[in-house]
Amino acid sequence: MCGIVAAIGDIDVSSCRNMLHRIAHRGPDDTGEVRKHNVWLGHQRLSIMDVEGGHQPMTHAPTGTYLVVNGEIYNHRHIRQDLGHALFETGSDSEAALHALVIDGPAGLARLRGMFALAFATEDGDFLAARDSLGVKPLYWARRDGVTLFASELRAFDPADRPLVETFPPGHCWSPEGGLVRFADAVPAHVRPARRAAEPEWDSSLVKAVREAIVSSVEHRMMSDVGVGVFLSGGLDSAIVAAVAAEYAARQDQPLPTFAVGSEGSSDLLAARHVAEYLQAKHHNIEHHEIPMSRQDAVEALPRAVRAIEHFDPSLVRSAVPNLLLAEYASQHVHAVLTGEGADELFAGYPYYHQEPFTSPEALQAELVRTVRELHHLNLQRCDRASMAFGLEAREPFLDRDVVEFVLSIPPEYKMVRPGVPEKQLLREAFDGWLPNEILHRGKEQFGDGAGAKELLEDAVRDLPEVAAADGVELRNREEAGYYAIWKRELDGIRPSATLGLFATT
């Protein structure tokens, strides 16, 4: 996990370096840059794989090519086998992306399984930028006369360029010659149509397949040379991730740090403690950490959270405050953490999925697909920024490409609530016996609410100034108007309609 900046065209090297400096928090371990003709690449590194040999920009001297990557390529070992180990000079997963592009050109992006935003260049000045299909890793760009700029965060851009900044679309690549081209879809066409289930109940083979897909994804995301922890909210999704990770770590004879945050007596803190104690009794490798959150902690973290997530949506801000405190503490112990992001969007965990107008299988399927495709505007933005504010990599096993395609191909009837069948029942059955029953059957509670942030922030919201919205953004309530005031102060010049896609689509 890192931060990248790239430019092609009429380059101002000093400006590019300033952009990179503004996102130094994303990669505190190393920095690097390269200029070739009209291309400049910059990289801030968080060292996780091949700590000694993974410096970027990565280069392949025989072909005169250069690469900067923000993310992780989880299938890098398979790519090494396919392309030949003799090509590789480091143990970095990013080198797999370099050689895939050298050998296959833009088509090599199809080889990559993982989360990434990258920029690739040659000695002759050829250039390619790309972002993973779900947009797990952020990428923004600004196009003006003579130059095109790319960066991992909005704040990287110079104030003069901020009105031009747009979200680089997930699953796309761009080159000066070919323009913007889609190379992958977050939800491929063959999994989009709702399929009518012949029977209202699923069989054991589907339960087993769900479990195996998630276990495999978690195990792939344990890849690290510096250790991995788990953000444990005590909810079903993060508890499942922790249970699988604990079993995997025990087989490797490794400890598993888990991290929970909340106000005193909050439901998340108590539930996470229960999960940690259960897994410790089972595997004897859990190192559980609790981060208490007082009202003062929450109020002081509020402007930092808005600035970090580059967003003002109330549900995201309420979640970001405890997320930021959690990441700040966890970054002192590990370089990477697993999270439960994405499970609700795949298995219909939110209450609104089971209300009108989504009560038919077809409507539910369409809404699940829509929200998966919009994750990069919402929870993934919050998760990435809150963790990377402290140079901490967040990994989301539920958003593995194979998991997404498989779970969205399951008949939507199996995700619908009916008498005796709560939300996410299929997921609960898949991990029966892996967790305490109280956790396995715990109802849905938003992260910020379960951690107590909503209550702690109520007074702070009343004290925030209100400002008028701009660019056609409708501020939906007093709370959002207060957060927008912070957002506008911290990201002056950014157009909300260009960067906060949910407001343009809802």
Side-chain angles (χ1 to χ4, degrees), residues 19-332:
M19 290 178 67
L20 191 62
H21 177 72
R22 294 186 192 112
I23 57 170
H25 53 274
R26 295 186 65 90
D29 297 330
D30 191 16
T31 186
E33 65 176 88
V34 65
R35 179 176 183 176
K36 293 296 175 182
H37 297 283
N38 64 336
V39 174
W40 189 92
L41 304 179
H43 190 263
Q44 289 290 154
R45 187 181 182 212
L46 176 64
S47 304
I48 293 179
M49 295 297 296
D50 192 357
V51 173
E52 297 299 325
H55 174 79
Q56 293 191 36
M58 194 159 279
T59 182
H60 184 237
T63 55
T65 50
Y66 303 85
L67 179 77
V68 289
V69 181
N70 167 31
E72 298 287 346
I73 310 301
Y74 296 117
N75 66 330
H76 72 104
R77 292 186 179 89
H78 292 99
I79 295 174
R80 289 168 186 269
Q81 292 174 355
D82 289 343
L83 300 183
H85 289 280
L87 286 174
F88 291 79
E89 299 177 0
T90 77
S92 171
D93 57 293
S94 296
E95 192 177 0
L98 173 65
H99 294 300
L101 291 170
V102 168
I103 291 174
D104 294 334
L109 294 168
R111 291 183 181 267
L112 309 182
R113 297 296 182 96
M115 52 181 187
F116 60 86
L118 59 82
F120 173 84
T122 70
E123 288 277 4
D124 298 328
D126 291 337
F127 179 87
L128 181 77
R131 188 181 183 192
D132 69 76
S133 62
L134 279 165
V136 179
K137 290 300 99 193
L139 188 62
Y140 297 94
W141 62 336
R143 291 170 285 182
R144 57 176 166 82
D145 290 344
V147 67
T148 301
L149 305 166
F150 300 82
S152 296
E153 295 185 11
L154 295 169
R155 76 188 72 188
F157 294 88
D158 290 341
D161 292 322
R162 288 182 174 180
L164 305 174
V165 175
E166 299 176 294
T167 300
F168 190 88
H172 285 71
C173 60
W174 179 86
S175 66
E177 298 79 18
L180 193 63
V181 177
R182 180 186 290 277
F183 69 87
D185 195 341
V187 185
H190 66 275
V191 302
R192 288 181 199 163
R195 296 193 290 114
R196 186 68 68 173
E199 300 291 338
E201 301 293 339
W202 48 81
D203 59 24
S204 59
S205 64
L206 180 58
V207 174
K208 181 174 182 286
V210 168
R211 181 173 58 251
E212 289 178 346
I214 294 167
V215 167
S216 175
S217 180
V218 172
E219 291 183 347
H220 275 105
R221 281 156 181 77
M222 293 295 285
M223 175 185 81
S224 174
D225 290 338
V226 292
V228 177
V230 176
F231 276 175
L232 181 57
S233 72
L236 176 68
D237 310 329
S238 68
I240 286 173
V241 170
V244 177
E247 182 169 288
Y248 177 87
R251 293 201 305 268
Q252 309 300 317
D253 195 26
Q254 296 174 347
L256 181 71
T258 56
F259 304 91
V261 64
S263 59
E264 184 177 357
S266 63
S267 56
D268 275 5
L269 210 58
L270 296 175
R273 186 184 305 163
H274 187 30
V275 173
E277 290 172 349
Y278 179 89
L279 296 177
Q280 173 63 13
K282 189 174 183 179
H283 299 294
H284 310 291
N285 65 341
I286 303 299
E287 297 176 352
H288 188 56
H289 303 260
E290 293 185 354
I291 299 91
M293 178 176 61
S294 67
R295 180 188 180 279
Q296 183 176 352
D297 293 331
V299 170
E300 290 179 352
L302 175 59
R304 293 195 295 146
V306 173
R307 180 170 63 251
I309 67 172
E310 303 181 329
H311 220 304
F312 53 86
D313 176 76
S315 63
L316 292 188
V317 175
R318 288 195 299 265
S319 297
V321 166
N323 203 162
L324 196 77
L325 297 172
L326 192 64
E328 185 173 22
Y329 179 91
S331 67
Q332 301 169 33

Side-chain angles (χ1 to χ4, degrees), residues 140 154 162-167 310-312 374 376-377 469-475 484 487 491 493-506:
Y140 297 94
L154 295 169
R162 288 182 174 180
L164 305 174
V165 175
E166 299 176 294
T167 300
E310 303 181 329
H311 220 304
F312 53 86
E374 291 297 312
H376 68 98
H377 288 307
D471 294 329
V473 175
E474 180 180 348
L475 297 175
Y484 180 80
W487 183 91
L491 291 167
I494 295 291
R495 295 180 297 115
S497 59
T499 60
L500 308 180
L502 77 162
F503 294 106
T505 59
T506 60

